[in-house]
Amino acid sequence: MTPISFEFYPPKNDDQRAQLARTAKRLKRYRPEYVSCTFGAGGSTLSYTGETIRALSREHRFDAAPHLSCVGGTRAEIAALLQDYRDAGCHRIVALRGDLPSGMGHPGDFRHATDLVAFIRAEHGDHFHIEVACYPEVHPQAEDAIIDLRHFKAKVDAGADGAITQYFYNADAYFRFVEDARAAGVEVPIVPGIMPISNFSQLRRFSEGCGAEIPRWLRKRMAAHGDDVDSIRALGADFVAELCRRLIEGGAPALHFYTLNLSRPTTSVLERLG
Ligand code: FAD
């Protein structure tokens, strides 16, 4: 069976904490290989990420992996966080550059995720399994696809054990990217990041920012359903399940679901996959 993992974001108040607890409980029965929790670049979720990781591993018994974005951080701050995570029993980390929130001036001691990966390896040897991000549809700031791939390879050469992709809705973009990465000498597993569809207008906004393309036919069909939320969700779940099926058949080593702390959009896809 294809391994799966779930990504959450750190709740900041009691309502959000209760929602995550419900979601974690519902998703547990799918036996994820691990779950992860995002980190606000510049430290905006600093304490919440740690708190969430501890709750996910202690209360819900997940293998929980913190995301760590280095932009805006100093070497001392990042070193302290890594030690905290190690002391909390974490063995896996998702290492990122992150995007500095607008208005935050100080870029910090790390320029790119490659620097963070190298730092983790230098400080902690092989203790952490390190995942990095990659972009089948090209990172929005990259000059072109070839340069972006070169930077991805540098990140892996610095010591990453695996990669999770930005979400995409075009399976061919993933297959082509994996092919190019293999030809460039990248050998680590490249796991598709899957974004189930629940709120389509929110997804459109998100996608513009991160460069994920939503196929025109899907946009048009979603628009045709107007405010009929149930139809939109059903169409989205059918479409994403079909995408997952193609990815699995094409050799994807695992699937990583961006849950947005909701269980239903992800379980609708998993139920369709049987
Ligand atoms: P990098 O690998 O550093 O790449 C960023 C850009 O710099 C790319 O365009 C790359 O081509 C370029 N680049 C890389 N190295 C060099 C170099 N040596 N010289 C010149 N250019 C270079 N964001 C968060 O804030 N918190 C999260 O928890 C989070 N989780 C994520 C999880 C996944 C799976 C993914 C795919 C993304 C996540 N993000 C998160 C978003 C991510 O932080 C942004 O996409 C960010 O813009 C890039 O981060 P990166 O780690 O890919 O950066």
Side-chain angles (χ1 to χ4, degrees):
M1 216 165 66
T2 306
I4 54 174
S5 51
F6 299 125
E7 180 173 310
F8 303 117
Y9 66 84
K12 292 185 179 169
N13 58 44
D14 287 344
D15 284 350
Q16 291 182 3
R17 277 186 199 98
Q19 185 190 34
L20 176 57
R22 283 193 301 275
T23 296
K25 234 183 219 162
R26 288 182 192 138
L27 292 179
K28 180 134 192 151
R29 70 190 183 93
Y30 294 97
R31 296 170 185 258
E33 186 187 10
Y34 71 97
V35 300
S36 74
C37 178
T38 61
F39 178 89
S44 59
T45 67
L46 195 60
S47 58
Y48 299 110
T49 300
E51 168 197 313
T52 308
I53 286 294
R54 277 184 280 277
L56 289 168
S57 57
R58 286 185 196 156
E59 289 161 32
H60 300 285
R61 302 272 155 212
F62 285 123
D63 179 2
H67 292 212
L68 182 52
S69 327
C70 58
V71 71
T74 63
R75 292 169 78 82
E77 285 164 352
I78 299 289
L81 266 177
L82 285 168
Q83 193 57 51
D84 274 0
Y85 290 139
R86 186 170 178 159
D87 293 345
C90 297
H91 285 272
R92 188 189 285 262
I93 243 169
V94 183
L96 305 141
R97 183 197 71 179
D99 294 306
L100 209 55
S102 58
M104 266 197 67
H106 195 281
D109 291 342
F110 301 86
R111 288 197 58 206
H112 301 289
T114 312
D115 307 331
L116 176 61
V117 173
F119 183 73
I120 299 172
R121 284 285 173 246
E123 295 279 305
H124 291 276
D126 287 336
H127 177 80
F128 291 107
H129 175 105
I130 304 177
E131 300 283 351
V132 291
C134 63
Y135 303 85
E137 294 181 308
V138 187
H139 186 266
Q141 290 161 359
E143 278 167 61
D144 63 44
I146 294 170
I147 293 176
D148 204 30
L149 181 60
R150 203 177 298 148
H151 292 147
F152 170 47
K153 180 172 187 314
K155 224 162 24 175
V156 173
D157 291 346
D161 298 295
I164 305 168
T165 74
Q166 181 58 278
Y167 71 88
F168 55 86
Y169 294 112
N170 179 349
D172 290 329
Y174 169 79
F175 292 129
R176 181 56 68 94
F177 178 74
V178 173
E179 219 174 276
D180 291 349
R182 299 293 176 239
V186 173
E187 290 174 1
V188 300
I190 298 176
V191 174
I194 306 294
M195 180 71 88
I197 297 174
S198 56
N199 179 334
F200 195 65
S201 46
Q202 185 191 49
L203 180 71
R204 279 177 69 156
R205 277 198 309 279
F206 251 36
S207 303
E208 275 162 26
C210 71
E213 197 169 81
I214 304 177
R216 178 183 155 84
W217 69 264
L218 183 62
R219 273 187 281 125
K220 292 287 178 191
R221 288 196 58 189
M222 287 285 180
H225 287 297
D227 294 330
D228 182 351
V229 176
D230 289 342
S231 303
I232 288 177
R233 287 190 181 151
L235 174 61
D238 287 343
F239 172 70
V240 175
E242 185 52 37
L243 172 71
C244 293
R245 221 171 270 128
R246 272 201 70 196
L247 293 169
I248 293 167
E249 282 166 13
L255 299 174
H256 179 79
F257 286 88
Y258 297 109
T259 69
L260 304 181
N261 292 9
L262 301 170
S263 59
R264 194 77 203 124
T266 296
T267 57
S268 305
V269 173
L270 291 172
E271 279 160 13
R272 282 163 169 79
L273 287 172

